[in-house]
Amino acid sequence: GCDRYMRLYGFSLPLVIACSGHAVAGGALLTLCGDYRIGAKGNFKIGLNEVAIKMPLPVLAVELARERLTTAALTRATLGAQLYEPEDAVTAGYLDEAVESDALMTEAIQTAKNLGTLDRQAFKETKHRLRGKTIAHILATLDADMATFSGPVRG
């Protein structure tokens, strides 16, 4: 799980995420890993709902949220377990753009083509500088963090 998210978050090529529906918990984490995230407009929910289902957010989720979500949304999105519709997910920082569902793949492919014109080495090095410390922190704390989890907390 975590290793996969970190490989995506640090992937050396541009990663465009096309979110065609709900993205809750692990789906929201996957969305946060993208370099550009496009969501389909509609009655969909995006967010980290763990606290609402009596689970603490792992360090992985907290750090991705801290880096990708807006400062104004961070507390509500994590501690408040708020779920967002696509347009509001753009404001919060889960998505970069929300488009009509029939335009989703066209927009995602065009964005990927545009990002693909960037110099690969410059992109890779800049991404490492931007995200490397967070990835290293998440991986270094993973075992200790996971050892604290036993499923939903009974209250």
Side-chain angles (χ1 to χ4, degrees):
C2 180
D3 289 343
R4 189 173 310 122
Y5 289 120
M6 291 300 89
R7 281 196 306 272
L8 292 172
Y9 195 54
F11 195 61
S12 63
L13 298 173
L15 177 62
V16 176
I17 300 285
C19 181
S20 60
H22 297 293
V24 178
L29 289 178
L30 180 61
T31 300
L32 292 172
C33 289
D35 299 316
Y36 197 84
R37 296 90 27 99
I38 305 172
K41 292 180 181 178
N43 189 23
F44 305 120
K45 298 296 183 189
I46 300 171
L48 300 167
N49 69 329
E50 283 82 349
V51 172
I53 60 170
K54 300 182 179 184
M55 291 180 66
L57 279 171
V59 170
L60 162 72
V62 169
E63 295 304 326
L64 287 177
R66 189 186 327 270
E67 283 203 354
R68 303 308 307 275
L69 300 179
T70 65
T71 302
L74 184 60
T75 298
R76 285 190 312 274
T78 55
L79 294 176
Q82 184 168 337
L83 298 178
Y84 299 86
E85 292 193 5
E87 291 90 338
D88 293 329
V90 172
T91 303
Y94 282 106
L95 299 173
D96 294 296
E97 183 179 358
V99 300
E100 296 301 327
S101 61
D102 60 352
L104 179 64
M105 292 311 297
T106 303
E107 289 292 324
I109 291 167
Q110 187 58 53
T111 300
K113 287 179 180 178
N114 292 345
L115 289 172
T117 65
L118 298 171
D119 181 82
R120 285 186 180 189
Q121 191 61 33
F123 183 89
K124 178 181 175 181
E125 290 179 23
T126 301
K127 192 172 193 178
H128 176 73
R129 290 176 181 141
L130 183 65
R131 298 182 178 170
K133 287 181 182 178
T134 298
I135 292 169
H137 171 68
I138 290 168
L139 293 176
T141 59
L142 178 63
D143 290 340
D145 188 41
M146 289 297 110
T148 67
F149 284 87
S150 60
V153 176
R154 306 222 189 281

